[in-house]
Each structure stands twice: as structure tokens, then as C-alpha cells.
Amino acid sequence: MSTHMRVPEDTGVDLHIHSTYSDGLLTPSELVAMAQRCNVTTLAITDHDSVEGIREGMEAAQQAGIDMIAGVELSVRYESFSDVHLLGYGFDYNDAAFGSFLERIREERLRRGERILDKINGVLIFQGREPLAMPNSSGSSGAFGRPHLARMLMEEGYVTSMEEAFTRYLVPCNVPKFRWEMNDALEEINRLGGVAVLAHPTEYSHNQQELRRLVTSLADLGIEGVEVYNSQADPGEVSLLMRLAEQRSLLVTAGSDFHTPGEGVELGRGSGGIRFPVGLVPPLKQRINDKKQGDSLR
Ligand code: AMP
Ligand code: FE
Ligand code: FE
Ligand code: ZN
């Protein structure tokens, strides 16, 4: 093969990314443009507590010839786990009741953000530093979260990384946010004709027995997939999650959880820079379609 011939980079998918409608730094259109540059052929924007970016994303994706699946990420309380993330795919994102419930959650997030900032300011003043003010635009459609405050601490030069912001300020000053009950979240995603998937399982535990128990009990409750490939699980954990998914006939999904350029996570790639396999998309789409068919028969 000639060395001048450009070898086309293989394609990939990414089913877990964030936009400016939650705590990401790029707009849905910018994410689509980035996906195009990264040869990502199927994309799902999964904002925390928001479906507001999906329409813009869908329009941009259509223009760019990228396949987009509607997505959302919900925070759920489950057994001893205080913040399990549940991804919803292919649901009716125009549903008015869901939209206004999420809007209320986002309003609560904003009030919680103010309370967290109050606590942080207490610490900053104690350190002899200038306190920070809530951003003016925070009342807009984005789901306000701790990453917004972390970036403010970075911009002020009080910390040098997101990690440091969380360790020194956002974890110690945290205030609980709204979390769904697992059954309610699953019921709602099902009501909207969507497919519920457990996000980044190794964020909750690295213990094999605990992961097995979590995936198994959620399968019993009706979860339909596991995010086997992500930017956190190491190769051994990926194989474990894959085995668990196979044992319970769960769908396998993949997502980078990309939020911001230059923070170590690349769109369309998991830990170690691996590409996510495009082959996992057809079974997911099949399931989404099956559920739609089921709906129209009801
Ligand atoms: P919140 O939903 O406001 O509690 O913020 C949680 C979000 O913060 C997660 O979804 C991640 O996007 C981000 N996050 C959590 N921990 C860290 C960390 N150590 N470094 C950077 N981002 C983090
Ligand atoms: Fe996030
Ligand atoms: Fe998450
Ligand atoms: Zn996420």
C-alpha cells in the first residue's frame, strides 16, 4: 500500500455525550460537527435532566448525515447507591409531562447550585479569597450542575483541574439533588416508549460481586441494557460487564460521557482510546422499533 494513501480511520459510535443543555461545553450542533470529524456515525446526546437539546441535535445530525438517537440521563436512587445514572434511548422527547417534570428538576438544580455555591463561598472567604457569584445565564435551559461551579473555580484560578475542583470544593460542599426512584424512572422511560440502560456501572463500584448484583437486580426490575463500553471501565471490567449483559440478555451500549474538549475524554472513544463498535447499534434500534410497534398495537 502506498504510504501517500490516506487510510480512512474506522468509524465508531457514541451513545453518551453532554451538551450545553446540561453540563457540556459544546452545543448540540457543535457536537454533531465534532462527531463528523471523528467518524462517529451514530450519536446520542444524553443530557442530564434535559431533552431540550435533542431537536437541535436531530436537525444538525440530519444535515451532516449522522444517525442520531434521542437520549437523556436521569439520576436515580437505588438501594445503597445514592446516584445511579440511567440512560433513556429512543423515547418520545416531545412528551409534555416529561418535559415539564424535567424543567422542575432543572429549577431545583439551580437552587441547589446556589446552596452549593454558598458553602463554597464560606470556604473561599475563610481562605481569604474573593467569593464567586452565580452566573447570570444559569436560569436558561441548561441543567445546572457541579461542573459549572468547577469551571468557575478553574477560571478564577482557585484550582487547576476539574478533578481538583471536585476533590477540594464540590465533593465536600455537595448538596443532594433530585433523584428518581428506580421504579419510577423505568416506568417513565417505558411510558415514553424508550429503552432504559444502566450508565457507566463501574462508577458505582469496582467490586465484581457488587456489579453482578447491581446488573442482575436491575435486569429483574426491567432495565434493558448496560453501558459496557465507556471511558471508565478497564478491559477486565468491560469483559465482566459483557458477560453479565450476555447472561441476562441485556443490550450492550457504549458511550464516552464526553463533556468538554481537552479534559481527557474524546468523543467516540473509550478507555485506552478504543473505538466503540458500530455493531451494537442495530440491536438497540431494533428494540426501540419493537417497543414503538408494541405501542401502536395497544
Ligand atoms: P451533579 O449532577 O451536579 O451532581 O454533577 C455531577 C456531574 O459532575 C457528573 O455527571 C459529571 O459530569 C461531573 N463530575 C463528577 N465528578 C467529577 C470529577 N471528579 N471530575 C470531573 N467531573 C466530575
Ligand atoms: Fe455530567
Ligand atoms: Fe453519568
Ligand atoms: Zn453522562
Side-chain angles (χ1 to χ4, degrees):
M1 195 197 297
S2 153
T3 51
H4 299 291
M5 204 158 86
R6 191 172 170 269
V7 181
E9 211 195 343
D10 55 346
T11 53
V13 304
D14 200 333
L15 302 180
H16 185 163
I17 59 172
H18 293 270
S19 81
T20 44
Y21 287 89
S22 61
D23 53 5
L25 224 55
L26 302 182
T27 63
S29 311
E30 288 167 338
L31 287 168
V32 167
M34 182 174 255
Q36 207 171 19
R37 288 196 300 278
C38 299
N39 285 326
V40 167
T41 51
T42 301
L43 195 66
I45 297 177
T46 51
D47 278 313
H48 302 282
D49 303 331
S50 179
V51 294
E52 304 295 313
I54 298 177
R55 183 181 304 276
E56 179 189 328
M58 289 278 182
E59 282 166 10
Q62 199 177 13
Q63 293 274 315
I66 285 176
D67 187 26
M68 182 170 286
I69 299 173
V72 71
E73 186 171 26
L74 304 178
S75 295
V76 179
R77 190 177 12 211
Y78 182 61
E79 293 181 344
S80 58
F81 302 100
S82 64
D83 196 1
V84 170
H85 289 180
L86 199 63
L87 298 161
Y89 290 117
F91 56 92
D92 175 13
Y93 56 92
N94 291 312
D95 184 84
F98 188 52
S100 58
F101 190 64
L102 293 183
E103 198 175 336
R104 272 169 47 201
I105 298 179
R106 293 197 297 276
E107 282 161 10
E108 196 175 309
R109 270 181 168 277
L110 199 54
R111 287 195 297 275
R112 166 211 184 218
E114 285 163 0
R115 289 175 60 201
I116 296 174
L117 187 58
D118 278 347
K119 289 171 87 172
I120 292 174
N121 280 338
V123 177
L124 291 175
I125 290 166
F126 181 76
Q127 293 168 338
R129 287 169 154 162
E130 277 296 309
L132 301 172
M134 280 293 274
N136 288 327
S137 59
S138 55
S140 66
S141 47
F144 192 83
R146 288 182 291 165
H148 294 96
L149 298 170
R151 287 189 200 113
M152 285 160 53
L153 287 162
M154 270 177 79
E155 277 161 24
E156 208 55 44
Y158 292 163
V159 293
T160 56
S161 68
M162 292 294 279
E163 207 52 55
E164 188 190 352
F166 270 84
T167 312
R168 287 185 54 198
Y169 295 95
L170 292 149
V171 171
C173 299
N174 193 25
V175 170
K177 67 187 170 207
F178 172 84
R179 282 147 304 156
W180 297 71
E181 295 300 329
M182 185 60 81
N183 278 318
D184 295 343
L186 289 172
E187 223 172 78
E188 184 67 349
I189 293 171
N190 278 317
R191 181 181 76 81
L192 302 172
V195 169
V197 172
L198 176 66
H200 42 59
T202 54
E203 194 171 297
Y204 323 120
S205 172
H206 287 287
N207 179 290
Q208 293 208 7
Q209 287 313 315
E210 215 165 37
L211 281 172
R212 178 180 297 278
R213 240 184 315 134
L214 177 65
V215 172
T216 308
S217 68
L218 287 178
D220 289 342
L221 280 184
I223 207 167
E224 296 190 64
V226 180
E227 194 179 63
V228 168
Y229 299 97
N230 55 68
S231 50
Q232 302 172 4
D234 66 36
E237 290 173 329
V238 169
S239 342
L240 169 70
L241 293 171
M242 190 60 97
R243 278 201 308 281
L244 293 174
E246 272 166 14
Q247 281 166 11
R248 296 306 307 255
S249 309
L250 296 169
L251 293 162
V252 170
T253 71
S256 65
D257 210 354
F258 176 85
H259 283 73
T260 307
E263 277 181 357
V265 174
E266 255 186 277
L267 190 121
R269 290 183 188 273
S271 41
I274 62 144
R275 278 287 199 182
F276 300 129
V278 291
L280 54 79
V281 172
L284 173 63
K285 293 192 122 180
Q286 183 66 53
R287 181 70 58 88
I288 291 169
N289 282 332
D290 288 351
K291 295 188 89 163
K292 281 210 179 67
Q293 296 291 321
D295 275 354
S296 60
L297 292 175
R298 242 179 255 142

